[in-house]
Structure formats: structure tokens, C-alpha cells
Amino acid sequence: ARPRVDSEVNKVDKTGRLVAKPERVSVSARPDVPEADRKCKYHGVTYLERTKRFQGRYNNDGACKKKTCGYFPTQVEAARAREAAIKRFGLESMNKMNTNAAGVLVEKP
């Protein structure tokens, strides 16, 4: 058994009553990402609350195996990385692309 640390022990006041624990305040790692910007504008890009980052994903083969191409601070970076991975592995026919014929990122409808 591991030894107990002071933070795991219930606090008691002078009269012997338990002291309530202070409420935890969650601090966002990315407070600069407003709620409206968390809705992803590109195919294969997801916002992850726990990491406060955008994840780029693509289909790897016909069996619908998803591959992650990384976690990024902005959805534009995640979309660009996803596009690069799809092109590098020649998977354009299995994935919806976020770029037009000129190679410019286009938001999903």
C-alpha cells in the first residue's frame, strides 16, 4: 500500500468537525478559444475538450480505420496536416478533402 499524503487526509477543525474541501475551479488550457470556434469547420477535424486542442483524423484503409495526424492549437493547422497526410499516403479517394482544385482550404458546407 502506498503511504497517504497530506492532501488525501480529511481536514478537521479545532472542535473535531470535518472541514469542507474547497471547490475545484477548472482552468482551461486554451481560454482564448471561444465556444463558437470549437465547432469544427473542416472535415476530419475534432475539438477535444480534455486537451483543449484540435485533432486531425483520416481514413487509413477500406476497413474504416481512423488514423490521427496530431493535435494542434488551431483547426486550420489540423486541417492542413490532415490534407498533407492524405496526399502523402495517396488516400484522396477514401477521404473528404478540405481543399479545392487550387489547394486552398474550404470550410465544409
Side-chain angles (χ1 to χ4, degrees), residues 60-101:
N60 189 32
D61 59 14
C64 294
K65 298 279 185 178
K66 294 281 188 182
K67 290 286 187 179
T68 300
C69 54
Y71 302 91
F72 303 90
T74 66
Q75 54 184 315
V76 172
E77 289 177 55
R80 288 188 197 280
R82 177 184 179 270
E83 295 293 306
I86 290 170
K87 288 178 183 174
R88 181 178 28 207
F89 298 115
L91 301 170
E92 291 93 339
S93 63
M94 295 182 204
N95 293 278
K96 290 185 179 178
M97 301 298 283
N98 290 315
T99 53
N100 60 14

Side-chain angles (χ1 to χ4, degrees), residues 39-78:
K39 183 168 173 44
C40 297
K41 302 172 186 173
Y42 303 101
H43 293 288
V45 176
T46 306
Y47 182 76
L48 302 174
E49 275 292 327
R50 70 182 155 79
T51 61
K52 309 297 184 213
R53 299 227 176 253
F54 293 93
Q55 176 186 38
R57 297 179 74 184
Y58 61 94
N59 261 346
N60 189 32
D61 59 14
C64 294
K65 298 279 185 178
K66 294 281 188 182
K67 290 286 187 179
T68 300
C69 54
Y71 302 91
F72 303 90
T74 66
Q75 54 184 315
V76 172
E77 289 177 55

